[in-house]
Amino acid sequence: MTLVIGVGNPDRGDDGVGPAVAARVAALGLSGVRVAPTVDPARLIDAWDGESDVVVVDAVRVGLGDGPRVVSLRVDEQPLPGWAACGGTHAFSVASAIELSRALGRLPEHLVVVGVAGCDFSTGHGLSSDVRGRMDAAIESVRAAVHGAHPTQGGPG
């Protein structure tokens, strides 16, 4: 069983991409997948407690330059790269939750983070057209992670 967690606030523009992708993945009814549509990063450690396979979807605030706009990273064996540590509008980030969980020995055995480059994090706005256009790629990244495909490593230098 793989747990897919959407992180973000739908009332903060592109920060809502995590819950939006999670909802679309839930609608697919994939066998062996359970979805937690909206989780605050401060609650991730409890959300994935006891889970061995987890995929987290979140907005990436920093620009990805000319590189991919959706990046999938396996982070159970190594930390998130510095460019991915600042996501959405969270004071306590997904990267912080991962590293705290790692230090406490509570990291899932297999953990993939799917980051979607966002550009508008304004209060009260929905997803930008750019991020809506990245939804299919993000869903395919989640599906690949669920099926054990090796995630794309990298991103901007």
Side-chain angles (χ1 to χ4, degrees), residues 24-46:
R24 293 241 333 248
V25 168
L28 293 174
L30 301 174
S31 177
V33 174
R34 188 167 50 89
V35 177
T38 306
V39 174
D40 182 272
R43 298 181 186 269
L44 278 172
I45 297 171
D46 289 332

Side-chain angles (χ1 to χ4, degrees), residues 41-91:
R43 298 181 186 269
L44 278 172
I45 297 171
D46 289 332
W48 63 44
D49 190 42
E51 303 287 341
S52 62
D53 295 303
V54 177
V55 179
V56 174
V57 184
D58 192 20
V60 179
R61 180 180 280 275
V62 296
L64 294 177
D66 292 331
R69 301 293 185 208
V70 175
V71 179
S72 183
L73 302 163
R74 184 163 174 193
V75 295
D76 47 71
E77 297 174 351
Q78 62 189 11
L80 279 167
W83 60 264
C86 179
T89 60
H90 323 296

Side-chain angles (χ1 to χ4, degrees), residues 64-144:
L64 294 177
D66 292 331
R69 301 293 185 208
V70 175
V71 179
S72 183
L73 302 163
R74 184 163 174 193
V75 295
D76 47 71
E77 297 174 351
Q78 62 189 11
L80 279 167
W83 60 264
C86 179
T89 60
H90 323 296
F92 185 81
S93 69
V94 169
S96 299
I98 289 169
E99 294 314 313
L100 179 57
S101 189
R102 189 186 316 275
L104 295 173
R106 294 180 63 189
L107 199 63
E109 184 178 348
H110 302 284
L111 176 60
V112 173
V113 174
V114 175
V116 181
C119 53
D120 180 3
F121 295 89
S122 303
T123 303
H125 294 151
L127 298 176
S128 67
S129 60
D130 287 343
V131 168
R132 283 194 310 273
R134 296 180 189 128
M135 293 278 292
D136 288 342
I139 291 164
E140 285 308 309
S141 291
V142 171
R143 288 175 70 127

